[in-house]
Structures are given as structure tokens and as C-alpha cells.
């Protein structure tokens, strides 16, 4: 079984958030979602929130330096000492490199990148459903959805090429019921 320093990776709509909730319970580790952190700041209208809103409303990534500083601070907290489940970070190669640096400063390393994959058509259909259910501004507009898919392909997917040679990527087929997908993920950590 890999260790518990884990990244949950995949395109928007892959089910990262849903699966993270299950996996954090299974492994008893904190769930760190950068999307949730940004939404919290946006809701509370903090300075960070105002910056994040400018980008997330358009389906763009919040700038690396802002995001990396936020994650660095979070990974400095005591509850992550026994492991963590990062959801939605890293989303760019500079973020992946920064994560390695943050961890190596603590004599730690990443143990697994759980890569949930689904097709582009499935992404579109899931995000438009989520817009109707959750009212997320960044899920509602087809142009924003397309931006998020393009951003994933151009900026986030290169993280996989960065991680593959390290032999820590665990590929998970993301189509199926929530329980089917979570059983596939649980099998990695059995
Ligand atoms: P999510 O809930 O993970 O889809 O994130 C919602 C939005 O927050 C994204 O579309 C980005 O604008 C922003 N965001 C979340 N995580 C990151 C990240 N690692 N780097 C940059 N922006 C992010």
C-alpha cells in the first residue's frame, strides 16, 4: 500500500470532490481542496477571495504564486503530519514542482497521484448537471466549461507527464457509479 501523502487528480467533473470525501474517511487523513478554499474566501469576500473570483469565474486557474502560497501554509499545519489528500492541487507543472519542494523541506514525498479519467463529453454533461444542482457560477456557462476543459488539457494534464516517471500515478477509470469508482480507488490502498 502506498503511503498517505496523496493527490487526487483529474479533469473538472471527474468526481474528485465526491471521491475525496470517501477516501479521506477510509484513510483517516485531512481533505484539502483548493477549490473549496477559494470558494470559502470568495464567500467571505477576503482579498484572496476577490483575486480568486476574477479567475475562477472565467474557468481560469488562479495564479500559481497565490495558490502555492495558500497550499504551503495549509501543509504547514499539524493535522497533515500523518498524511493528506490534496484535491484540485497541483493543477500546473509549476505547482507540482512547488509541492515537491514543500514536501522535501519536510523530508516527505508524494506517495500516490490518483488519476481519475473521464471523456470530454462526460465532463460537459456532468458539469452542466452540477450547475443545475449546486448553482456553481463556473459550471453554468458553456464557454466557461470549455475554458475549464482547455485549461485542464493545457495546464493541468502536463502534471501527469511530470509524475509518470516517478511511478506514483494510479490510473482510475472514472465512469460508473460513485461506489464502483470508490471501490477502484480503495483497491489501490488495500
Ligand atoms: P475546483 O472546485 O477544484 O474545480 O476549483 C474551482 C476553481 O478554483 C478552478 O476553476 C480555479 O479557478 C480555482 N482553483 C482550484 N484549484 C486551483 C489550483 N490548484 N490552481 C489554480 N486555480 C485553482
Amino acid at each position: 500500500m502506498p503511503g498517505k501523502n496523496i493527490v487526487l487528480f483529474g479533469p473538472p467533473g471527474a468526481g474528485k470532490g465526491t471521491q475525496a470525501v470517501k477516501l479521506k474517511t477510509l484513510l483517516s487523513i485531512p481533505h484539502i481542496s483548493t477549490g473549496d478554499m477559494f470558494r470559502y474566501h470568495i464567500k467571505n469576500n477576503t482579498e484572496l477571495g476577490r483575486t480568486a473570483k476574477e479567475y475562477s469565474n472565467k474557468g481560469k486557474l488562479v495564479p500559481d504564486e497565490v495558490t502555492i502560497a495558500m497550499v504551503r501554509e495549509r501543509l504547514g499545519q499539524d493535522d497533515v503530519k500523518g498524511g493528506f489528500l490534496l484535491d484540485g492541487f497541483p493543477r500546473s507543472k509549476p505547482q507540482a514542482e512547488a509541492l515537491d519542494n514543500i514536501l522535501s523541506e519536510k523530508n516527505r514525498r508524494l506517495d500516490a497521484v490518483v488519476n481519475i479519467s473521464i471523456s470530454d463529453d462526460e465532463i460537459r454533461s456532468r458539469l452542466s448537471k452540477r450547475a443545475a444542482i449546486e448553482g456553481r457560477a463556473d459550471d453554468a456557462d458553456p464557454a466557461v466549461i470549455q475554458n475549464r476543459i482547455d485549461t485542464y488539457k493545457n495546464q493541468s494534464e502536463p502534471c501527469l507527464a511530470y509524475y509518470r516517471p516517478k511511478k506514483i500515478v494510479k490510473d482510475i477509470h472514472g465512469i460508473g457509479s460513485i461506489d464502483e469508482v470508490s471501490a477502484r480507488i480503495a483497491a489501490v490502498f488495500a
Side-chain angles (χ1 to χ4, degrees), residues 12 16 33-36 38-39 52 55-56 59-64 67 87-91 95 130 136 138 148:
K16 296 189 295 294
S33 158
T34 45
D36 285 351
F38 285 134
R39 278 185 287 278
Y55 295 90
S56 67
K60 291 186 180 168
L61 293 184
V62 178
D64 281 339
T67 307
D87 159 11
F89 183 95
R91 254 179 160 107
Q95 291 182 14
R130 184 161 77 186
R136 262 179 64 163
D138 58 346
R148 295 174 73 205

Short mmCIF file of all heavy atoms in Angstrom, two decimals, residues 12 16 33-36 38-39 52 55-56 59-64 67 87-91 95 130 136 138 148, ligand 1:
data_model
loop_
_atom_site.label_atom_id
_atom_site.label_comp_id
_atom_site.label_asym_id
_atom_site.label_seq_id
_atom_site.Cartn_x
_atom_site.Cartn_y
_atom_site.Cartn_z
N PRO A 12 -12.10 18.63 -14.46
CA PRO A 12 -13.28 19.09 -13.74
C PRO A 12 -14.44 18.14 -14.03
O PRO A 12 -14.62 17.71 -15.16
CB PRO A 12 -13.57 20.48 -14.33
CG PRO A 12 -12.77 20.57 -15.59
CD PRO A 12 -11.62 19.64 -15.43
N LYS A 16 -13.66 14.19 -8.31
CA LYS A 16 -12.60 14.29 -7.30
C LYS A 16 -13.17 14.60 -5.92
O LYS A 16 -12.82 13.95 -4.94
CB LYS A 16 -11.58 15.39 -7.68
CG LYS A 16 -10.81 15.12 -8.95
CD LYS A 16 -9.67 16.11 -9.14
CE LYS A 16 -10.11 17.55 -9.35
NZ LYS A 16 -10.85 17.79 -10.62
N SER A 33 -9.01 20.71 -0.32
CA SER A 33 -9.49 21.06 -1.65
C SER A 33 -9.20 22.54 -1.89
O SER A 33 -9.76 23.41 -1.21
CB SER A 33 -11.00 20.80 -1.73
OG SER A 33 -11.57 21.57 -2.78
N THR A 34 -8.35 22.82 -2.88
CA THR A 34 -8.04 24.23 -3.16
C THR A 34 -9.29 24.94 -3.70
O THR A 34 -9.50 26.12 -3.41
CB THR A 34 -6.86 24.36 -4.14
OG1 THR A 34 -7.04 23.43 -5.22
CG2 THR A 34 -5.55 24.10 -3.45
N GLY A 35 -10.14 24.23 -4.46
CA GLY A 35 -11.39 24.83 -4.95
C GLY A 35 -12.27 25.25 -3.78
O GLY A 35 -12.80 26.37 -3.76
N ASP A 36 -12.41 24.37 -2.76
CA ASP A 36 -13.20 24.71 -1.57
C ASP A 36 -12.57 25.89 -0.82
O ASP A 36 -13.29 26.77 -0.32
CB ASP A 36 -13.28 23.51 -0.60
CG ASP A 36 -14.24 22.43 -1.09
OD1 ASP A 36 -14.98 22.68 -2.08
OD2 ASP A 36 -14.25 21.34 -0.48
N PHE A 38 -10.77 28.31 -2.05
CA PHE A 38 -11.05 29.54 -2.80
C PHE A 38 -12.51 29.96 -2.64
O PHE A 38 -12.81 31.13 -2.47
CB PHE A 38 -10.69 29.39 -4.28
CG PHE A 38 -9.21 29.43 -4.57
CD1 PHE A 38 -8.62 28.49 -5.40
CD2 PHE A 38 -8.41 30.41 -4.00
CE1 PHE A 38 -7.25 28.53 -5.68
CE2 PHE A 38 -7.04 30.46 -4.26
CZ PHE A 38 -6.47 29.51 -5.10
N ARG A 39 -13.42 28.96 -2.71
CA ARG A 39 -14.85 29.31 -2.57
C ARG A 39 -15.13 29.92 -1.19
O ARG A 39 -15.93 30.84 -1.06
CB ARG A 39 -15.74 28.08 -2.82
CG ARG A 39 -15.98 27.82 -4.32
CD ARG A 39 -16.96 26.69 -4.58
NE ARG A 39 -16.36 25.39 -4.30
CZ ARG A 39 -15.58 24.74 -5.15
NH1 ARG A 39 -15.31 25.22 -6.34
NH2 ARG A 39 -15.06 23.57 -4.83
N ALA A 52 -9.24 35.38 -6.41
CA ALA A 52 -9.63 34.06 -6.93
C ALA A 52 -10.87 34.16 -7.83
O ALA A 52 -10.95 33.51 -8.86
CB ALA A 52 -9.91 33.10 -5.77
N TYR A 55 -10.54 34.92 -11.56
CA TYR A 55 -10.09 33.84 -12.43
C TYR A 55 -11.09 32.70 -12.49
O TYR A 55 -11.41 32.20 -13.56
CB TYR A 55 -8.73 33.30 -11.92
CG TYR A 55 -7.66 34.34 -12.02
CD1 TYR A 55 -7.41 35.23 -10.97
CD2 TYR A 55 -6.91 34.47 -13.19
CE1 TYR A 55 -6.44 36.21 -11.07
CE2 TYR A 55 -5.93 35.45 -13.30
CZ TYR A 55 -5.70 36.32 -12.24
OH TYR A 55 -4.74 37.29 -12.35
N SER A 56 -11.61 32.29 -11.34
CA SER A 56 -12.46 31.10 -11.33
C SER A 56 -13.77 31.34 -12.08
O SER A 56 -14.29 30.44 -12.72
CB SER A 56 -12.72 30.60 -9.90
OG SER A 56 -13.48 31.53 -9.19
N GLY A 59 -13.25 30.34 -15.52
CA GLY A 59 -12.76 28.99 -15.76
C GLY A 59 -11.26 28.94 -15.89
O GLY A 59 -10.70 27.99 -16.44
N LYS A 60 -10.59 29.99 -15.38
CA LYS A 60 -9.12 30.02 -15.45
C LYS A 60 -8.52 29.64 -14.11
O LYS A 60 -9.17 29.75 -13.06
CB LYS A 60 -8.65 31.44 -15.80
CG LYS A 60 -8.98 31.86 -17.19
CD LYS A 60 -8.34 33.20 -17.47
CE LYS A 60 -8.64 33.68 -18.86
NZ LYS A 60 -8.25 35.10 -19.01
N LEU A 61 -7.25 29.29 -14.13
CA LEU A 61 -6.56 28.98 -12.89
C LEU A 61 -6.19 30.27 -12.16
O LEU A 61 -5.78 31.25 -12.78
CB LEU A 61 -5.26 28.21 -13.16
CG LEU A 61 -5.39 26.80 -13.72
CD1 LEU A 61 -4.01 26.15 -13.81
CD2 LEU A 61 -6.33 25.94 -12.88
N VAL A 62 -6.33 30.23 -10.86
CA VAL A 62 -5.81 31.31 -10.02
C VAL A 62 -4.28 31.26 -10.16
O VAL A 62 -3.71 30.17 -10.27
CB VAL A 62 -6.26 31.09 -8.55
CG1 VAL A 62 -5.72 32.17 -7.64
CG2 VAL A 62 -7.79 31.02 -8.47
N PRO A 63 -3.60 32.41 -10.21
CA PRO A 63 -2.15 32.37 -10.47
C PRO A 63 -1.40 31.46 -9.50
O PRO A 63 -1.74 31.35 -8.32
CB PRO A 63 -1.73 33.84 -10.28
CG PRO A 63 -2.96 34.62 -10.61
CD PRO A 63 -4.10 33.79 -10.13
N ASP A 64 -0.38 30.80 -10.06
CA ASP A 64 0.39 29.82 -9.29
C ASP A 64 0.90 30.38 -7.96
O ASP A 64 0.80 29.71 -6.94
CB ASP A 64 1.60 29.34 -10.11
CG ASP A 64 1.20 28.31 -11.16
OD1 ASP A 64 0.14 27.68 -10.99
OD2 ASP A 64 1.95 28.14 -12.13
N THR A 67 -1.80 30.49 -5.35
CA THR A 67 -2.29 29.15 -4.99
C THR A 67 -1.22 28.40 -4.19
O THR A 67 -1.53 27.76 -3.18
CB THR A 67 -2.65 28.38 -6.28
OG1 THR A 67 -3.54 29.18 -7.05
CG2 THR A 67 -3.31 27.06 -5.95
N ASP A 87 -6.89 17.73 -3.20
CA ASP A 87 -7.91 17.60 -4.25
C ASP A 87 -7.92 18.91 -5.04
O ASP A 87 -8.24 19.96 -4.50
CB ASP A 87 -9.24 17.30 -3.52
CG ASP A 87 -10.49 17.62 -4.33
OD1 ASP A 87 -10.38 17.89 -5.54
OD2 ASP A 87 -11.57 17.61 -3.72
N GLY A 88 -7.52 18.82 -6.31
CA GLY A 88 -7.50 20.03 -7.14
C GLY A 88 -6.18 20.77 -7.10
O GLY A 88 -6.07 21.87 -7.64
N PHE A 89 -5.19 20.19 -6.49
CA PHE A 89 -3.83 20.74 -6.47
C PHE A 89 -2.87 19.57 -6.51
O PHE A 89 -3.07 18.61 -5.75
CB PHE A 89 -3.59 21.56 -5.19
CG PHE A 89 -2.23 22.22 -5.15
CD1 PHE A 89 -2.06 23.52 -5.57
CD2 PHE A 89 -1.11 21.51 -4.72
CE1 PHE A 89 -0.79 24.13 -5.56
CE2 PHE A 89 0.14 22.11 -4.71
CZ PHE A 89 0.30 23.41 -5.12
N PRO A 90 -1.83 19.57 -7.34
CA PRO A 90 -1.47 20.63 -8.28
C PRO A 90 -2.32 20.59 -9.55
O PRO A 90 -2.87 19.57 -9.92
CB PRO A 90 -0.02 20.29 -8.61
CG PRO A 90 0.07 18.81 -8.47
CD PRO A 90 -0.86 18.46 -7.35
N ARG A 91 -2.37 21.75 -10.21
CA ARG A 91 -3.09 21.87 -11.47
C ARG A 91 -2.21 22.49 -12.54
O ARG A 91 -2.71 22.88 -13.59
CB ARG A 91 -4.29 22.77 -11.26
CG ARG A 91 -5.63 22.02 -11.22
CD ARG A 91 -6.64 23.10 -10.98
NE ARG A 91 -7.98 22.84 -11.32
CZ ARG A 91 -8.93 22.63 -10.41
NH1 ARG A 91 -8.63 22.51 -9.15
NH2 ARG A 91 -10.18 22.53 -10.79
N GLN A 95 3.10 24.13 -10.07
CA GLN A 95 2.51 23.74 -8.78
C GLN A 95 3.03 22.36 -8.35
O GLN A 95 3.30 22.13 -7.16
CB GLN A 95 0.98 23.71 -8.86
CG GLN A 95 0.35 25.09 -9.02
CD GLN A 95 -1.18 25.04 -9.06
OE1 GLN A 95 -1.80 24.05 -8.72
NE2 GLN A 95 -1.78 26.14 -9.48
N ARG A 130 -24.25 19.59 -12.74
CA ARG A 130 -23.84 20.15 -11.45
C ARG A 130 -24.26 21.61 -11.33
O ARG A 130 -24.65 22.07 -10.26
CB ARG A 130 -22.31 20.03 -11.29
CG ARG A 130 -21.81 20.49 -9.93
CD ARG A 130 -20.43 19.95 -9.62
NE ARG A 130 -19.39 20.65 -10.34
CZ ARG A 130 -18.10 20.29 -10.32
NH1 ARG A 130 -17.71 19.24 -9.65
NH2 ARG A 130 -17.20 20.98 -10.98
N ARG A 136 -23.24 26.37 -9.08
CA ARG A 136 -21.88 26.91 -9.14
C ARG A 136 -21.73 27.78 -10.37
O ARG A 136 -21.95 27.34 -11.49
CB ARG A 136 -20.87 25.75 -9.21
CG ARG A 136 -20.28 25.42 -7.86
CD ARG A 136 -19.33 24.26 -7.96
NE ARG A 136 -18.16 24.55 -8.77
CZ ARG A 136 -17.05 23.82 -8.73
NH1 ARG A 136 -16.96 22.80 -7.91
NH2 ARG A 136 -16.03 24.12 -9.49
N ASP A 138 -19.24 28.78 -11.99
CA ASP A 138 -18.27 28.37 -13.01
C ASP A 138 -18.71 27.11 -13.76
O ASP A 138 -18.03 26.65 -14.65
CB ASP A 138 -16.87 28.19 -12.40
CG ASP A 138 -16.83 27.17 -11.28
OD1 ASP A 138 -17.90 26.78 -10.77
OD2 ASP A 138 -15.71 26.77 -10.91
N ARG A 148 -12.56 25.64 -18.94
CA ARG A 148 -12.03 24.78 -17.88
C ARG A 148 -11.44 23.50 -18.48
O ARG A 148 -10.43 22.99 -18.01
CB ARG A 148 -13.11 24.47 -16.84
CG ARG A 148 -13.53 25.73 -16.10
CD ARG A 148 -14.68 25.49 -15.18
NE ARG A 148 -14.28 24.73 -14.01
CZ ARG A 148 -15.08 23.97 -13.29
NH1 ARG A 148 -16.35 23.85 -13.62
NH2 ARG A 148 -14.63 23.35 -12.24
P1 LIG B 1 -12.44 23.14 -8.32
O1 LIG B 1 -13.54 23.16 -7.32
O2 LIG B 1 -11.29 22.27 -7.87
O3 LIG B 1 -12.90 22.81 -9.70
O4 LIG B 1 -11.85 24.64 -8.38
C1 LIG B 1 -12.66 25.74 -8.75
C2 LIG B 1 -11.80 26.86 -9.28
O5 LIG B 1 -10.86 27.27 -8.29
C3 LIG B 1 -10.95 26.48 -10.50
O6 LIG B 1 -11.64 26.58 -11.72
C4 LIG B 1 -9.82 27.51 -10.40
O7 LIG B 1 -10.23 28.78 -10.85
C5 LIG B 1 -9.61 27.59 -8.90
N1 LIG B 1 -8.59 26.59 -8.48
C6 LIG B 1 -8.80 25.47 -7.72
N2 LIG B 1 -7.65 24.80 -7.53
C7 LIG B 1 -6.69 25.51 -8.19
C8 LIG B 1 -5.31 25.33 -8.40
N3 LIG B 1 -4.65 24.27 -7.90
N4 LIG B 1 -4.65 26.26 -9.14
C9 LIG B 1 -5.28 27.33 -9.63
N5 LIG B 1 -6.59 27.55 -9.50
C10 LIG B 1 -7.31 26.65 -8.78
#
